[in-house]
Amino acid sequence: MPSVRRIAHEFLERQGLTTVFGNPGSNELPFLTGLPDGFRYVLGLHEGAVVGMADGYAQATGRPVLVNLHAASGSGNAMGALTNAVASGTPLVIVAGQQVRPAIGPEANLANVDAPALMRPLVGWAAEPACAQDVPRALAQAVFEARLQRRPSYLSVPYDDWAADAGENAPAVLDRWVERAGVPAGEQGHRLAEAVAGARRPALVLGGDIDTAGRFDDAVRLAERLAGPVWAAPSLFRLPFPNRHPLFRGVLPAGIEPIRRAFEGHDLVLVLGAPVFRYHEHLPGRYLPAGTRLIQVTEDASAAARAPMGEALVADPGAVIELLANALDASGVPSADYRPVPAPRSAEGPRLHPEEVFAALRDELPADTAYVVESTSTTSSWWRQMDLRRPGSYYFPAAGGLGFGLPGAVGVAMAQPERPVVGVIGDGSANYGVTALWTAAQHRVPLTVVLLRNGTYGALRWFGGLLGVPDAPGLDIPGLDFTRIAEGYGVPALHADGVDELRAVLAERPDGPRLVQVDTALTTPS
Ligand SMILES: Cc1ncc(C[n+]2csc(CCOP(=O)(O)OP(=O)(O)O)c2C)c(N)n1
Ligand SMILES: [Mg+2]
């Protein structure tokens, strides 16, 4: 009879989970022994970076990814990064080691006494199989739960299980395949199409899920048939629509009152692939203008259930886009000219305005560049300068947890080595995932990190004003030199002194990782 380990490895191979992002401890080693050829272990030096890299990799490949973490301490380190993976619906399959079964109760060192409970608030499914023979089935469940729920899952395995005899039924799991279909039933689709076709002034709100589902171009087709304004959902983590398209009105502000104002005059708001809504700043008011109907289409049943207003249909928003685009006639506006980009603002003194940096990116990088952004005070500058027209062009930490950007950029670049990838990272944000630079260096990942050094937690200064607390301590971060930090991790780096030098550097195509630091002026996010 084959061992639990043999069946597990073979199952992962058949499901295509052969790239493992991890940081091991002694509990994990018995799982990692004898990995078949074709497996690739990507070592991260801290679990936050491990999960961030895996998140970027899974998002860019559109497939579940295996993550290998140490017991309580390692899994605990990963929790912050997991908040982002949960919000972006990333199917991470986390397998963690556990002490041998007889040592868990007495709390031997490295025993995680109630391992599933530690992770449960975040992951969609967590378990520790009741016996070794259930490990292959439970591993399969972890993969399918992550895929079906579009949420990380967590499996804790006592390390003596891996060498155990799998039992005669274990191979049955190897041929399993589980899929989901999310097309609305005829009557549901008909009612939705009627509501949309009958609206006088419909507005469309698109969430990051649209890009995740590969529906970026289809969303343009639908919007042009609807001929109404398009917003991106607040707290955006992926761009679902070309940001200079004439129908695009930008990312909705993440507050109740400004969202109500944006919808004024619309009889129907159709929200596709987003929660309703991920507000951030508490700006109270009525959710919707009087007389505005809101219909949400999402695959996420919980997002539908918890929304505070509106109607919801739990279905694949991509299938709904197709259904609606076919139901509406094609007489809407054809794609008119894209909106031109304004001249970048400049700053006084030697620092660059972030708009000058972003204009340089826009001009010097190819049009299909993927950007992973974690710079929080520069949001409005970003959207003023960028012209993103391709799917998969933009990633941002989905729950606002810093530490995704740098590792996420490494993961996206590993997933798409042919596509230029740029991380746009603030001098505060960089520190939460900085060890990913080492992984990028070891794997020679082609990636440019543009490090915006404004010497402060810029967004928090702005928030301080908003909250009426202008004197909070702990907001400045002087004395950081990321060229030296990057070089310490094995990534070549330079400091660009002005726009010309920055543009010249960006125009070169790197064949490995590099970091370019620029000093930037403080701006506000909006
Ligand atoms: C893990 C985590 N810790 C703290 C915060 C709070 N926070 C939000 S924005 C921010 C500052 C980020 O600074 P930087 O990357 O330099 O960007 P800037 O605002 O200066 O553009 C901080 C600390 C967070 N979002 N996530
Ligand atoms: Mg900063």
Side-chain angles (χ1 to χ4, degrees):
M1 283 292 162
S3 65
V4 168
R5 178 171 40 236
R6 265 272 310 282
I7 301 287
H9 288 169
E10 192 172 337
F11 174 78
L12 293 169
E13 204 167 28
R14 288 199 191 186
Q15 295 289 328
L17 281 82
T18 51
T19 294
V20 189
F21 290 87
N23 185 272
S26 52
N27 287 354
E28 289 69 38
L29 300 179
F31 166 64
L32 296 173
T33 185
L35 281 173
D37 292 348
F39 273 75
R40 170 169 66 151
Y41 192 87
V42 181
L43 177 62
L45 301 185
H46 181 278
E47 292 80 358
V50 169
V51 168
M53 290 190 291
D55 191 350
Y57 188 87
Q59 287 198 52
T61 57
R63 297 176 51 80
V65 165
L66 194 67
V67 177
N68 186 232
L69 298 180
H70 194 35
S73 53
S75 300
N77 276 351
M79 292 293 262
L82 270 181
T83 63
N84 291 320
V86 170
S88 54
T90 307
L92 301 180
V93 181
I94 303 167
V95 175
Q98 168 69 293
Q99 256 291 6
V100 296
R101 288 179 181 272
I104 300 170
E107 299 190 20
N109 212 2
L110 305 183
N112 190 359
V113 175
D114 191 352
L118 177 71
M119 310 304 283
R120 232 172 230 139
L122 286 182
V123 301
W125 179 85
E128 188 171 279
C131 63
Q133 282 68 36
D134 195 38
V135 169
R137 188 212 57 80
L139 177 63
Q141 185 174 359
V143 173
F144 298 140
E145 294 277 3
R147 219 166 65 191
L148 295 176
Q149 294 192 37
R150 297 203 26 235
R151 197 175 171 118
S153 62
Y154 185 84
L155 185 69
S156 164
V157 183
Y159 75 76
D160 50 343
D161 284 7
W162 295 112
D165 186 335
E168 63 179 343
N169 275 323
V173 86
L174 295 174
D175 299 320
R176 293 213 65 220
W177 195 256
V178 177
E179 278 178 338
R180 174 207 281 279
V183 184
E187 177 56 22
Q188 292 169 319
H190 185 69
R191 261 189 286 135
L192 186 64
E194 236 175 37
V196 174
R200 275 178 303 102
R201 286 197 63 205
L204 198 56
V205 177
L206 301 171
D209 292 357
I210 298 302
D211 192 43
T212 307
R215 297 295 187 159
F216 186 95
D217 295 325
D218 295 333
V220 175
R221 201 159 57 92
L222 173 63
E224 289 177 355
R225 292 195 173 188
L226 267 180
V230 178
W231 279 276
S235 305
L236 192 69
F237 62 94
R238 288 178 68 149
L239 182 67
F241 199 80
N243 75 304
R244 306 211 86 80
H245 189 285
L247 290 173
F248 192 62
R249 296 289 176 275
V251 182
L252 277 171
I256 295 173
E257 170 63 15
I259 287 187
R260 184 199 56 75
R261 241 182 287 134
F263 294 158
E264 205 65 69
H266 291 285
D267 54 341
L268 177 71
V269 176
L270 179 63
V271 183
L272 300 178
V276 172
F277 288 109
R278 279 183 80 84
Y279 302 111
H280 182 180
E281 301 95 58
H282 184 58
L283 303 170
R286 292 192 49 161
Y287 288 128
L288 293 171
T292 300
R293 180 179 181 191
L294 181 146
I295 304 178
Q296 172 196 27
V297 179
T298 174
E299 263 189 321
D300 180 345
S302 164
R306 71 174 181 262
M309 76 290 204
E311 301 155 52
L313 177 65
V314 178
D316 169 9
V320 165
I321 287 180
E322 235 162 66
L323 183 151
L324 291 177
N326 293 336
L328 297 168
D329 68 46
S331 61
V333 277
S335 34
D337 289 343
Y338 275 46
R339 283 181 293 113
V341 183
R345 296 185 169 111
S346 53
E348 279 167 28
R351 292 171 173 271
L352 296 187
H353 193 289
E355 285 198 25
E356 294 177 284
V357 179
F358 303 152
L361 291 171
R362 187 196 64 228
D363 292 344
E364 306 301 336
L365 273 294
D368 69 337
T369 300
Y371 294 94
V372 184
V373 179
E374 196 170 277
S375 165
T376 49
S377 65
T378 54
T379 315
S380 69
S381 298
W382 173 261
W383 293 119
R384 263 175 60 88
Q385 287 304 318
M386 298 311 284
D387 183 353
L388 305 177
R389 303 187 186 195
R390 310 285 173 91
S393 288
Y394 174 77
Y395 301 83
F396 188 88
L402 303 179
F404 167 80
L406 227 169
V410 175
V412 170
M414 287 187 98
Q416 304 178 326
E418 303 309 318
R419 189 173 180 173
V421 179
V422 175
V424 179
I425 313 291
D427 53 352
S429 301
N431 302 291
Y432 300 81
V434 74
T435 58
L437 287 171
W438 177 85
T439 308
Q442 292 297 312
H443 290 263
R444 295 203 52 74
V445 177
L447 167 70
T448 299
V449 176
V450 175
L451 196 298
L452 305 175
R453 190 170 68 162
N454 61 9
T456 184
Y457 290 155
L460 297 191
R461 287 168 162 271
W462 171 80
F463 243 108
L466 202 72
L467 300 174
V469 289
D471 56 349
L475 302 189
D476 284 338
I477 46 170
L480 287 164
D481 182 350
F482 289 92
T483 62
R484 294 173 68 185
I485 294 169
E487 274 164 7
Y489 281 116
V491 170
L494 63 83
H495 183 93
D497 270 320
V499 164
D500 295 340
E501 191 183 350
L502 176 66
R503 283 181 177 262
V505 173
L506 293 176
E508 296 161 14
R509 294 284 86 82
D511 58 1
R514 61 178 179 163
L515 182 141
V516 186
Q517 174 175 273
V518 274
D519 284 336
T520 49
L522 179 60
T523 53
T524 57
S526 66

